[in-house]
């Protein structure tokens, strides 16, 4: 379906809300990636001052979770044209790029499976579906085949992006897919989960958010998650990771895992199990999932299942987010597995740019946890990267962070940002966007 200017109104409690995309041209479509498995994308064409939108790159945005919706959270919460107040976002990426939001894996957001047995259970299966999704996308939109393609994944989306990158590149080489994959970005990404978990305690201790006793308690729980993983008990390691989160909540009186300078708003005892609490935090991009929002903002689920569903003509039998919990649960055995070897493969065998960016206020995918696996990378430029200078990032006379690079790998430390850097620090975000794409 093609969408140009759409205004859809809904009368709610004596006032009218509507979605008005004005000059933002967009398109949405389903791609059947396997029999009974249907993946959904929502494309926004750039409004950059160019003669044709194909003069700008195509960026795929992947949300985390697994089970987090790109078309909802990535779009309305982070970088799409409109925010949750349905007002225009002045730093939307659509001003510089064509942006493709994908509800991935199948079962996420508006993507759905006809039977839950069709959900993916490994990162490799997720990547296979993504290649099929891209084939469907390029079949409908062949004008994008030759322009640079960049995959940006946040949190678990960054983990998924690595195997996607490998399989997209292989499909390009084999002639199975005509695309131009040029870069992959991992934003506060779940690359090496054990490393991330082991650094929670030390970051909290350094920030003064726990005392020595609290630190030792958290580390004991984290080391147990590591032990279970090393023994190959991957599902139990995931459950223990959730228990470690619960220990952090208890010892910090509910620090926000996505920004250590804030606390979770807690209005009632949390009756969810540790794994349910952790799952909800990963899927919904917040450690605290509330049924009420500020008066001027939409509840994301209500918005997607009313105005957006009508706008995009989603099938009546599809409910946004209804299978998201099942998506997370299906991947429990894969959740704690790292993708570091995949990064090494991409660095050693391709010219694809790999960018690691991290908001320094994040806890769940904290910068110290990222540095652990980065320093262990085995690739041709590893020694040169270690010896490369760490340079400041200045934007409008403000120090937004630092970066370090060699060859096709770079690391960006971003100040004034937590888990979601594009939302928290748009100015700092411009630095790594320009580095990879020349725009931003």
């Amino acid at each position: 379906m093609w969408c140009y200017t759409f205004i859809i109104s809904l009368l709610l409690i004596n006032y009218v809300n509507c979605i008005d995309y004005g000059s933002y041209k967009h398109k949405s479509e389903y791609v059947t990636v396997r029999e009974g498995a249907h993946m959904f994308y929502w494309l926004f064409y750039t409004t950059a001052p160019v003669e044709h939108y194909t003069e700008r790159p195509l960026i795929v945005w992947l949300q985390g979770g697994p089970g987090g919706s790109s078309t909802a959270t990535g779009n309305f919460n982070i970088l799409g044209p409109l925010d949750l107040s349905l007002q225009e976002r002045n730093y939307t990426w659509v001003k510089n790029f064509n942006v493709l939001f994908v509800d991935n894996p199948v079962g996420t957001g508006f993507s759905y499976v006809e039977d839950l047995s069709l959900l993916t259970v490994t990162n490799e299966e997720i990547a296979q579906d993504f290649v099929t999704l891209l084939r469907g996308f390029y079949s409908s939109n062949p004008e994008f085949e030759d322009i640079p393609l960049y995959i940006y994944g946040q949190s678990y989306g960054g983990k998924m992006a690595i195997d996607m990158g490998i399989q997209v590149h292989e499909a390009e080489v084999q002639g199975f897919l005509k695309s131009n994959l040029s870069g992959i970005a991992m934003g506060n990404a779940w690359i090496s989960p054990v490393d991330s978990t082991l650094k929670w305690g030390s970051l909290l201790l350094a920030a003064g958010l726990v005392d020595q006793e609290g630190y030792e308690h958290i580390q004991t729980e984290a080391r147990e998650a590591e032990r279970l993983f090393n023994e190959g008990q991957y599902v139990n390691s995931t459950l223990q990771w959730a228990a470690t989160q619960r220990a952090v909540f208890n010892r910090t009186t509910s620090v926000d895992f996505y920004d250590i300078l804030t606390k979770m708003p807690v209005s009632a005892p949390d009756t969810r199990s540790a794994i349910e609490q952790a799952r909800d935090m990963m899927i919904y991009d917040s450690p605290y999932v509330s049924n009420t929002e500020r008066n001027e903002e939409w509840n994301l689920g209500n918005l997607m299942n009313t105005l957006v569903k009508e706008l995009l003509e989603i099938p009546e039998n599809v409910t946004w987010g209804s299978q998201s919990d099942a998506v997370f649960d299906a991947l429990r055995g894969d959740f704690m597995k790292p993708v570091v070897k995949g990064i090494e493969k991409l660095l050693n065998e391709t010219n694809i740019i790999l960018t690691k960016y991290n908001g320094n206020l994040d806890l769940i995918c904290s910068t110290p946890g990222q540095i652990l696996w980065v320093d262990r990378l085995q690739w041709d430029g590893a020694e040169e990267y270690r010896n490369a200078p760490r340079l400041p990032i200045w934007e409008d006379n403000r120090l937004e962070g630092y970066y370090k690079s060699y060859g096709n790998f770079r690391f960006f430390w971003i100040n004034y940002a937590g888990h979601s850097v594009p939302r928290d620090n748009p100015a700092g975000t411009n630095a790594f966007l320009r580095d990879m794409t020349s725009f931003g």
Side-chain angles (χ1 to χ4, degrees):
M1 71 200 74
W2 287 90
C3 312
Y4 294 90
T5 300
F6 285 86
I7 300 179
I8 297 177
S9 300
L10 185 70
L11 185 62
L12 288 175
I13 317 176
N14 299 323
Y15 62 89
V16 175
N17 282 283
C18 63
I19 298 182
D20 181 3
Y21 275 110
S23 62
Y24 291 103
K25 177 183 172 184
H26 56 108
K27 175 185 180 180
S28 61
E29 187 176 41
Y30 275 98
V31 175
T32 298
V33 294
R34 285 173 284 119
E35 185 176 356
H38 312 280
M39 193 172 291
F40 182 76
Y41 72 76
W42 193 357
L43 169 68
F44 286 87
Y45 298 85
T46 186
T47 58
V50 292
E51 290 187 9
H52 196 267
Y53 55 82
T54 54
E55 295 177 46
R56 289 298 175 93
L58 174 66
I59 287 182
V60 174
W61 178 263
L62 302 173
Q63 206 58 41
S69 169
S70 297
T71 64
T73 303
N75 184 6
F76 290 101
N77 268 348
I78 301 177
L79 55 88
L82 303 182
D83 60 21
L84 273 175
S85 300
L86 303 185
Q87 300 300 307
E88 187 171 349
R89 178 178 281 114
N90 61 11
Y91 61 85
T92 176
W93 287 17
V94 179
K95 290 185 176 181
N96 287 301
F97 308 98
N98 302 286
V99 181
L100 183 65
F101 295 102
V102 179
D103 277 344
N104 163 88
V106 287
T108 297
F110 283 133
S111 295
Y112 68 99
V113 292
E114 296 173 19
D115 188 281
L116 293 181
S117 65
L118 297 171
L119 293 174
T120 52
V121 297
T122 68
N123 220 42
E124 290 79 8
E125 290 180 358
I126 293 171
Q128 290 167 10
D129 280 354
F130 182 75
V131 170
T132 305
L133 178 280
L134 283 186
R135 291 188 70 199
F137 171 80
Y138 286 116
S139 177
S140 295
N141 307 276
E143 71 273 21
F144 284 104
E145 289 180 342
D146 294 323
I147 75 169
L149 168 67
Y150 299 98
I151 301 174
Y152 277 70
Q154 177 171 293
S155 195
Y156 207 89
K159 174 178 178 174
M160 294 187 289
I162 297 306
D163 281 298
M164 289 175 178
I166 292 171
Q167 294 201 28
V168 168
H169 176 72
E170 291 176 350
E172 289 178 348
V173 172
Q174 296 165 4
F176 183 68
L177 175 68
K178 189 175 182 183
S179 61
N180 183 17
L181 180 59
S182 302
I184 299 169
M186 302 160 278
N188 290 73
W190 197 237
I191 300 299
S192 182
V194 168
D195 283 332
S196 291
T197 307
L198 287 172
K199 280 297 183 179
W200 289 349
S202 57
L203 178 59
L204 292 168
L205 181 64
L209 295 171
V210 295
D211 57 14
Q212 185 66 30
E213 181 185 2
Y215 162 77
E216 291 173 358
H217 178 210
I218 292 167
Q219 288 304 104
T220 297
E221 299 288 340
R223 284 192 289 269
E224 177 64 7
E226 179 187 34
R227 182 189 71 80
L228 291 167
F229 177 84
N230 290 339
E231 291 181 357
Q233 298 187 51
Y234 301 124
V235 172
N236 286 335
S237 181
T238 299
L239 296 174
Q240 181 58 33
W241 159 82
T244 308
Q245 279 199 346
R246 179 62 62 85
V248 170
F249 289 142
N250 290 340
R251 290 293 179 160
T252 61
T253 60
S254 300
V255 68
D256 188 334
F257 257 80
Y258 292 157
D259 184 342
I260 61 171
L261 297 184
T262 65
K263 296 281 188 180
M264 292 194 313
V266 179
S267 57
D270 196 331
T271 59
R272 294 170 294 173
S273 68
I275 188 63
E276 288 172 332
Q277 186 180 24
R279 179 190 65 198
D280 289 348
M281 183 188 69
M282 295 292 279
I283 291 175
Y284 299 109
D285 197 38
S286 172
Y288 178 76
V289 182
S290 173
N291 292 323
T292 59
E293 304 290 336
R294 293 194 300 271
N295 290 334
E296 71 273 16
E297 290 189 352
W298 274 84
N299 172 282
L300 196 54
N302 291 343
L303 175 64
M304 298 303 290
N305 281 312
T306 55
L307 301 190
V308 174
K309 184 172 180 177
E310 185 176 353
L311 171 70
L312 302 182
E313 300 180 9
I314 302 299
E316 193 60 36
N317 65 305
V318 177
T319 300
W320 177 87
S322 64
Q323 297 178 340
S324 294
D325 289 352
V327 169
F328 185 97
D329 292 341
L331 286 158
R332 284 189 189 187
D334 209 56
F335 185 81
M336 294 296 286
K337 294 180 181 178
V339 290
V340 176
K341 292 297 181 184
I343 293 172
E344 293 173 342
K345 180 180 179 67
L346 287 167
L347 287 173
N348 286 316
E349 299 179 14
T350 78
N351 293 319
I352 296 169
I353 297 172
L354 294 185
T355 294
K356 179 73 197 75
Y357 68 87
N358 234 70
N360 291 328
L361 298 178
D362 189 23
L363 175 62
I364 191 164
C365 297
S366 69
T367 300
Q370 306 298 310
I371 291 173
L372 285 179
W373 64 260
V374 168
D375 286 347
R376 292 198 306 265
L377 283 175
Q378 298 180 26
W379 60 291
D380 293 341
E383 187 64 26
E384 289 85 352
Y385 171 78
R386 279 190 286 269
N387 293 328
R390 185 170 178 261
L391 301 172
I393 301 169
W394 290 98
E395 295 281 333
D396 296 326
N397 294 317
R398 189 170 86 152
L399 182 63
E400 301 291 357
Y402 297 86
Y403 72 97
K404 185 175 182 179
S405 68
Y406 181 80
N408 55 331
F409 183 73
R410 52 267 285 124
F411 195 115
F412 284 77
W413 292 256
I414 304 297
N415 297 333
Y416 319 108
H419 191 66
S420 185
V421 175
R423 176 179 58 202
D424 297 344
N425 189 342
T429 297
N430 288 338
F432 59 76
L433 284 172
R434 283 196 305 269
D435 175 81
M436 179 177 280
T437 72
S438 300
F439 302 102

